[in-house]
Amino acid sequence: MHQRAVTRPARGTARTSATARPRATARISATARIRAAVGAAAVLAAVVPCLAPTAAQAAPAHFATDVQWSTETLAPGVQVRTGTVRHPGVRHTWTVTVQAPATSRLTGARTWAEVSTRSWAGTTAQQLRDAGFEPRVESVRWPGYSDTPHGVMGYRVRVGSYAAQSDAQPTATAITSAGFHTAVAWTGYDVQQPADRENIHVAVIDPRRFQGTVEGTHDGDVAQRETTSSVAAKLHSLVAVNGGFFVTSDADGVQGTMSALGAYDGRLGSMAVGSRAALVLGDGGRHVRVADLTTTVTARAGRSSYAIQGINRVPSLVRDCGRPGATPSELPWQDVTCRLTDDLVQFTPLFGAALPTGAGVQAVLDRSGRVVSVGARGGRVPAGGRVLQGIGTAADWLTANARVGRRVTVDETVRDSAGRRVALDRDDSVVSAAPTLVKDGRIDIDAAAEGVVDPQDLSFGYAWANSRQPRTMAGIDRRGRLILATVDGRRTGGSEGFTLYEAADFMRSLGAVQALNLDGGGSTTMALRGALANNPSDAAGERPVGDTVQVIPARTD
């Protein structure tokens, strides 16, 4: 599928979707317009006045809220709030969701969707009744994204209400045997009612008072995964959270390498995926902002040049897509690996693993950029040098232009959405994920443009964006303070997490005028003084991740 086939609405536009009421034969349960995190955020605002929150609409009065908070000052200018928000009147259950057959608009592969058309929902509900079940049809509305339709997204079909997951399984098995595709679901991940419990950590770093540094780091090697707390322990950090998206499977590249823009000590460790949100930590965290950033990297040999499409990744494999010439799309697509047939990749000393092998050519450059050797791909990056690997026409360019003894220069440019160049010095770092949550003090989630949902394919990104998940978030308030926040999810410790919209509402309530979503799910981690503070959702415990954000005290020696 080519770029035209996956064009999304431009950021800032919205399309209205008017959907007729389903047939009378199906019981309709309209999705209540309740945002659980709003209530939690309003409560947090009341107990954390130092965060100078904006006004937030509280949850309806008939949902009582029980809150417990603790506060700890780790250093002047570094304060951490840990809270548990409960809605005692809310009762969630396990249910059986009947999924709709779907086809991925991006890949053409057959898949399944939780939400589909009114016609499908009505027909499926009738078929279930004919088979002896008692289904219900629920309408699902679009969250308030800035670049997707508004109103009803679609309809889902569910059967039963059970106290335990195991209690729902026999019904799911029976429905599957009747010819349907099912999934056992927890209704607390929906947004119809507030979550019954959310475990939240919030760290606020004031650069005017804090004497240390805040930096994004991959701990010196972008080709490895480490836990957030282990890196924090090495660096003696006060606070640490996981950072951006990274490769988790050998099929998608080298595990640990970033699938979005990463810069550490002013050096690019990876390239941007289209124009996606990034947390820019300038001057060791003295100047912080959120911006949509792009990267342009060019290799030059004499008068000839060639565009580099990747830094420290396997040639041809582009995790999360978003590079010119990639197929099936040049646009960002979350958790999708696109491919390039003509690809030039730069490897820097930050890449500590063995270099990728395979078809193509590589040129090894010394510290000054002079070509030391040209040949088959493999080996390691020399100390202080670089390696360029090319496949397809990029291999032809290297063969023709990267002759031994000749100098090859590499120009790197980072720009924001206004076209301004972003200069990176040794005290600067960048961590990138998606999407933007808050812009200019308003909720502004460009979910389609940043590739986390597809308005034309409800099988893509629904659970990732629109269901409650563990989330890690970063933002900046009007006083220039950095806010790092995590919410546990997937019922670890009973916590259900946030949807993307709830995450945005929560950050705005804390006073964030800019905010973005960092990597979440099992990666969501906050460490305090080097020790794990939250409850990650992976069954194995804390997940080794790519890069992290570390709040490091000033050295005393």
Side-chain angles (χ1 to χ4, degrees), residues 480-512:
R481 294 177 297 184
L482 173 64
I483 304 169
L484 301 173
T486 63
V487 58
D488 290 341
R490 299 175 184 168
R491 302 197 76 203
T492 55
S495 183
E496 290 168 327
F498 287 160
T499 67
L500 277 183
Y501 192 91
E502 289 173 336
D505 219 344
F506 179 77
M507 293 300 287
R508 186 176 67 95
S509 78
L510 299 183

Side-chain angles (χ1 to χ4, degrees), residues 314-316 341 343 356-362 375-378 389-392 394-395 398:
V314 176
S316 86
T341 55
D343 194 14
T357 59
V361 174
Q362 77 176 22
R377 293 166 52 198
Q389 287 194 348
I391 60 173
L398 282 176

Side-chain angles (χ1 to χ4, degrees), residues 459-474:
S459 69
F460 179 80
Y462 177 84
W464 194 97
N466 306 329
S467 294
R468 292 190 175 112
Q469 300 280 359
R471 306 276 180 191
T472 303
M473 302 143 280

Side-chain angles (χ1 to χ4, degrees), residues 519-534:
D519 193 12
S523 297
T524 286
T525 308
M526 181 176 283
L528 302 178
R529 294 195 178 98
L532 182 64
N534 74 314

Side-chain angles (χ1 to χ4, degrees), residues 163-238:
Q165 186 175 11
S166 58
D167 295 337
Q169 195 57 54
T171 299
T173 301
I175 295 174
T176 300
S177 298
F180 301 90
H181 193 274
T182 65
V184 175
W186 175 250
T187 62
Y189 298 151
D190 305 334
V191 76
Q192 287 100 321
Q193 297 184 70
D196 53 13
R197 176 174 175 150
E198 289 160 325
N199 299 333
I200 300 167
H201 290 77
V202 178
V204 182
I205 300 93
D206 187 345
R208 295 170 302 178
R209 301 181 59 213
F210 179 52
Q211 297 301 308
T213 61
V214 184
E215 61 185 55
T217 178
H218 212 308
D219 201 27
D221 184 356
V222 299
Q224 68 180 5
R225 297 170 59 177
E226 291 190 79
T227 62
T228 302
S229 63
S230 66
V231 177
K234 290 181 195 176
L235 299 178
H236 305 288
S237 298
L238 298 173

Side-chain angles (χ1 to χ4, degrees), residues 91 99 148 159 195 211 215-216 229 269 277 284 345 388 406 518 525:
R91 294 293 181 266
Q99 297 182 320
T148 64
V159 177
Q211 297 301 308
E215 61 185 55
S229 63
V345 175
L388 298 178
R406 192 177 191 185
L518 294 175
T525 308

